[in-house]
Amino acid sequence: MACSAMACASTLVAGTSTCSTSSTSSSASAFLGSRVAIAPVGVRRLACRMGAVTASAAAVEEEQTEERTVQRLLGIYQEKVVPAMQEEFKYGNKFEIPHVKKIIVNCGVGEASQNAKALEGTIRDIALVTGQKSVVTRSKKAIAGFKLREGVPVGVTLTLRGDMMYSFLDRLLNLALPRTRDFQGVNPYSFDGRGNYTLGLPEISVFPEIKFENVDKERGMDICIVTTAKNDTEGLKLLELMGMPFKEMGGGRMSASAAKKATRVTFRGRRR
């Protein structure tokens, strides 16, 4: 009897210890489980934020990649123009190869001093064509013969660089110039002696972005292509390889004017 009572007591003690141990372990696991359940929430939030940042970065990179692929003329310059220029002029350094530095667009609006809507329409059209907002130029002095006062807006101007420059130049060479009325090529003698080329468009509506029904008056624009060429020969070759449709040198009035310009002699600072 004594042995059986002691066995029952030991069994009860063991059961009690087991229950207490299991309850302790279950409470500890529940506590730890709550700790573990709280931590992943923050981790998930951080992961969501990192995922959003990564997604936005990927979207920006994709947009930049799309913009870079759009600039077709830049790819042509790197793949075709650079090797051709290197082969012809034998540059010692790749940084000597000329490239287009910037494009300056000017548009005069003489009636802006009397009509403010003309200036607004010009700014709108230039922004559609170039993709960049222009700056208003104002008169520096008063001229009574032209009914012009000082500080009156007389035109707009802007400077294009980078991707905007290559996009505008590509549309100018392949879309705008071929749509010009009676177009036979641009003048190859319009260089300034330092490799920079200037041409004028009589109508801004030759760009496909301009709708004819929205044009209140035909306006022209002056385009100056600034390059890093050292002379006109390099500038001419650069623009020709990029697709500038120059007229054939020689023949007609061009050869006569070029000959007159070449034979012009200066004597004591005066032209004869």
Side-chain angles (χ1 to χ4, degrees), residues 190-213:
S190 296
F191 287 88
D192 63 346
R194 299 179 179 86
N196 305 321
Y197 186 76
T198 304
L199 74 153
L201 290 180
E203 299 178 357
I204 196 176
S205 59
V206 294
F207 285 91
E209 293 83 3
I210 304 298
K211 296 182 179 179
F212 291 99
E213 58 270 15

Side-chain angles (χ1 to χ4, degrees), residues 33-48:
S34 62
R35 291 285 300 274
V36 172
I38 291 173
V41 173
V43 172
R44 284 197 298 270
R45 290 178 180 175
L46 181 61
C48 291

Side-chain angles (χ1 to χ4, degrees), residues 118-131:
L119 182 63
E120 295 177 0
T122 304
I123 294 175
R124 182 188 65 249
D125 294 343
I126 293 294
L128 288 175
V129 168
T130 61

Side-chain angles (χ1 to χ4, degrees), residues 92-165:
N93 192 336
K94 65 178 182 179
F95 297 104
E96 295 181 8
I97 301 175
H99 62 274
V100 180
K101 185 178 181 181
K102 60 184 177 180
I103 296 178
I104 303 172
V105 179
N106 296 312
C107 182
V109 188
E111 66 271 19
S113 58
Q114 306 294 332
N115 185 10
K117 292 184 179 180
L119 182 63
E120 295 177 0
T122 304
I123 294 175
R124 182 188 65 249
D125 294 343
I126 293 294
L128 288 175
V129 168
T130 61
Q132 182 174 321
K133 187 177 180 180
S134 56
V135 179
V136 177
T137 56
R138 300 181 180 274
S139 58
K140 296 182 179 179
K141 62 180 181 179
I143 303 176
F146 294 100
K147 297 181 181 180
L148 186 65
R149 294 179 298 177
E150 184 178 357
V152 175
V154 293
V156 296
T157 182
L158 60 90
T159 303
L160 298 173
R161 292 183 175 87
D163 292 339
M164 301 292 291
M165 174 189 69

Side-chain angles (χ1 to χ4, degrees), residues 30-65:
F31 178 73
L32 291 175
S34 62
R35 291 285 300 274
V36 172
I38 291 173
V41 173
V43 172
R44 284 197 298 270
R45 290 178 180 175
L46 181 61
C48 291
R49 292 177 182 175
M50 293 297 293
V53 172
T54 307
S56 62
V60 171
E61 185 177 359
E62 185 177 359
E63 290 179 359
Q64 293 178 353
T65 305

Side-chain angles (χ1 to χ4, degrees), residues 7-8 21 67 94 123 150 181-182 185 240 246 254 267:
C8 292
T21 304
E67 289 180 358
K94 65 178 182 179
I123 294 175
E150 184 178 357
R181 186 181 305 172
D182 299 332
E240 186 178 2
F246 289 108
M254 256 199 325
F267 178 72

Side-chain angles (χ1 to χ4, degrees), residues 16-93:
T16 305
S17 62
T18 305
C19 293
S20 62
T21 304
S22 61
S23 62
T24 305
S25 61
S26 63
S27 61
S29 62
F31 178 73
L32 291 175
S34 62
R35 291 285 300 274
V36 172
I38 291 173
V41 173
V43 172
R44 284 197 298 270
R45 290 178 180 175
L46 181 61
C48 291
R49 292 177 182 175
M50 293 297 293
V53 172
T54 307
S56 62
V60 171
E61 185 177 359
E62 185 177 359
E63 290 179 359
Q64 293 178 353
T65 305
E66 291 178 357
E67 289 180 358
R68 288 171 187 164
T69 55
V70 168
Q71 311 309 327
R72 185 182 63 90
L73 192 61
L74 180 59
I76 293 176
Y77 169 77
Q78 295 174 349
E79 296 176 1
K80 299 181 180 180
V81 178
V82 170
M85 295 288 291
Q86 177 69 31
E87 182 180 358
E88 181 169 349
F89 295 99
K90 308 297 180 182
Y91 295 105
N93 192 336

Side-chain angles (χ1 to χ4, degrees), residues 182-252:
D182 299 332
F183 181 72
Q184 298 178 359
V186 295
N187 188 4
Y189 298 100
S190 296
F191 287 88
D192 63 346
R194 299 179 179 86
N196 305 321
Y197 186 76
T198 304
L199 74 153
L201 290 180
E203 299 178 357
I204 196 176
S205 59
V206 294
F207 285 91
E209 293 83 3
I210 304 298
K211 296 182 179 179
F212 291 99
E213 58 270 15
N214 297 333
V215 176
D216 55 348
K217 183 179 179 181
E218 288 293 343
R219 297 183 182 89
M221 61 190 303
D222 298 326
I223 303 171
C224 180
I225 304 174
V226 181
T227 67
T228 58
K230 299 178 182 178
N231 49 53
D232 292 347
T233 304
E234 295 181 2
L236 176 65
K237 189 64 177 179
L238 170 65
L239 296 181
E240 186 178 2
L241 291 173
M242 294 183 73
M244 181 69 76
F246 289 108
K247 292 180 181 179
E248 295 182 0
M249 290 188 177

